[in-house]
Amino acid sequence: MTAIDPRVPTVVLDSGARAVDTSGEAAARPTPWAPLRILAAEIEATIERISTGPAPDNGRRSALLVHPESTTGRSFAPGVEVAVEVLLPGESTTPLRRNSSIVQICLAGTGTVHVAGASIDMARNDVATVPSMKPHRFRNDGDGPWIRLAYSNAPLLAHLGTLYAEEVPADWVPGTVVDGPIDMDEPAEVADRGSAPDHEVSPTGARLRGYEFLVDIEPVPDRLRHWPYRTVSGLMSQSTGDGERTIMALYNPATERRQGATGSFFVTLSRIPHGHRPRPEGAGHRHSSVAINYHVEGTGYSVVDGRRIDFAPGDLLLSAPSWREHAHYPSETGLTVFTVQDHPQHIATESLIWQEDMNGPILALGLERGQTGYIAPRNWDDDLPRI
């Protein structure tokens, strides 16, 4: 529980609530956590530890990677959970559905993801997503451990008191895919959106609508998505100066304008070829979304609010806590890195602010014209600015 500041005038009401005087209060500013690097060796030790002993009853061998500033003891970033998940050969998890977004990155081994009647096979560096409230399970039919990083927005939902998960029967049968308004099993005069009132009430465009619009929302169908690394990496830059992109987004069409892999997270793959010329240090940029980098290949360092953090293959780095200035400097080895960022979640809540030039404007992305002419991440030619 947050302590009460005795310097702030507070009145305890008869209901037990408090009325806190905020008259003249200064404007709010972000309070980001510190950057954090978890070494590949630490992740490997975690994998070894959770791989020992018999499998749990639900089959889920997992461990959360938790930031030292986490007040809940579960978060890697304030609204993001990162778990290491392991399945040994022949093991599988029991079916589960939950209302949190899930991004899975395969670190090693192979296995099958089953989601609501669909399935895909994952291999090293593949990425898959599990939609909210779709029953899912994982099975390892390979010869070695299947190891994954799993990202979710569970900490945010837990803070709101709305995190939900439930086991479902192994013989659960998925319902019909919905492509329009959900049948509420209500009388036609109630459930029919066509008869719901919808009035414009002022020249500003404000409207008054029937309650039907709130409880019978048009669904955007989502399903299991899979980005095979073999295909994705082949579409990236292969050699210095080839003109191909060095950073691309793994896009799920169900997220529409949020540009995400899920409704909460985008995932990008950065691939800078071996042999490029390292850049001199300079100013970075910052944004309200947090960025978490998993380094697949290559060495280098990041500078976060003036602090240098070296990285190597297998390291996990909270490289951009919300609103901290940051820049990344791969060595001549090049770079392959997956970045997970809660960018789409901020677009949905209209809270995504971005400052590309530390002396320039602060943009509200999704609400006004964004960062245009953004050439830095497109390729790595010597005449272009760094990422």
Side-chain angles (χ1 to χ4, degrees), residues 95-366:
L96 176 76
R97 67 175 190 159
R98 53 189 178 185
N99 65 342
S100 52
S101 296
I102 307 171
V103 169
Q104 295 268 332
I105 299 177
C106 180
L107 305 189
T110 60
T112 304
V113 185
H114 301 273
V115 178
S119 63
I120 56 98
D121 295 325
M122 288 188 77
R124 184 173 182 267
N125 295 333
D126 284 5
V127 177
T129 58
V130 178
S132 172
M133 295 303 288
K134 294 289 179 70
H136 58 275
R137 61 186 177 90
F138 303 90
R139 181 170 182 81
N140 182 352
D141 292 317
D143 298 327
W146 183 23
I147 302 163
R148 307 178 311 279
L149 284 180
Y151 304 74
S152 85
N153 62 335
L156 174 63
L157 300 182
H159 178 71
L160 298 174
T162 59
L163 181 61
Y164 177 83
E166 64 174 349
E167 303 281 352
V168 297
D171 59 355
W172 181 88
V173 177
T176 303
V177 174
V178 177
D179 291 315
I182 299 171
D183 181 2
M184 301 291 293
D185 292 324
E186 295 279 2
E189 65 272 13
V190 176
D192 184 6
R193 284 272 302 275
S195 64
D198 184 9
H199 307 290
E200 184 172 343
V201 296
S202 81
T204 65
R207 306 188 73 84
L208 187 69
R209 278 186 158 187
Y211 194 75
E212 296 92 328
F213 285 93
L214 301 180
V215 297
D216 190 15
I217 302 166
E218 299 92 339
V220 178
D222 199 4
R223 57 185 63 87
L224 170 66
R225 306 287 182 178
H226 178 214
W227 292 266
Y229 184 71
R230 180 189 297 272
T231 301
V232 170
S233 62
L235 297 172
M236 307 288 290
S237 178
Q238 305 297 314
S239 60
T240 301
D242 63 8
E244 299 298 325
R245 296 294 182 100
T246 60
I247 183 170
M248 294 279 277
L250 282 57
Y251 177 60
N252 174 357
T255 68
E256 299 180 324
R257 65 183 287 275
R258 288 170 291 170
Q259 308 300 324
T262 74
S264 294
F265 302 127
F266 79 43
V267 182
T268 58
L269 174 64
S270 298
R271 192 170 186 275
I272 298 170
H274 175 86
H276 82 96
R277 187 170 68 187
R279 302 296 177 131
E281 290 188 15
H285 73 177
R286 61 183 180 175
H287 34 72
S288 55
S289 52
V290 301
I292 302 170
N293 291 349
Y294 177 73
H295 293 274
V296 177
E297 298 173 320
T299 61
Y301 66 96
S302 298
V303 176
V304 185
D305 271 357
R307 173 184 168 186
R308 172 172 168 151
I309 305 172
D310 293 277
F311 55 74
D315 289 351
L316 185 72
L317 175 60
L318 176 57
S319 64
S322 178
W323 212 235
R324 288 194 185 273
E325 180 183 353
H326 58 279
H328 310 300
Y329 303 96
S331 71
E332 66 281 351
T333 63
L335 178 74
T336 300
V337 60
F338 285 108
T339 299
V340 176
Q341 198 162 311
D342 57 355
H343 194 95
Q345 184 170 277
H346 280 282
I347 293 174
T349 56
E350 300 184 348
S351 57
L352 182 58
I353 53 176
W354 187 286
Q355 189 173 30
E356 187 62 27
D357 179 352
M358 296 301 292
N359 295 314
I362 295 173
L363 302 176
L365 299 193

Side-chain angles (χ1 to χ4, degrees), residues 4-12 18-23:
I4 298 174
D5 187 341
R7 297 168 298 179
V8 177
T10 301
V11 175
V12 178
R18 300 192 307 273
V20 179
D21 191 349
T22 58
S23 303

Side-chain angles (χ1 to χ4, degrees), residues 63-79:
L64 295 179
L65 301 175
V66 179
H67 195 287
E69 295 183 51
S70 173
T71 58
T72 64
R74 300 184 68 89
S75 304
F76 188 76

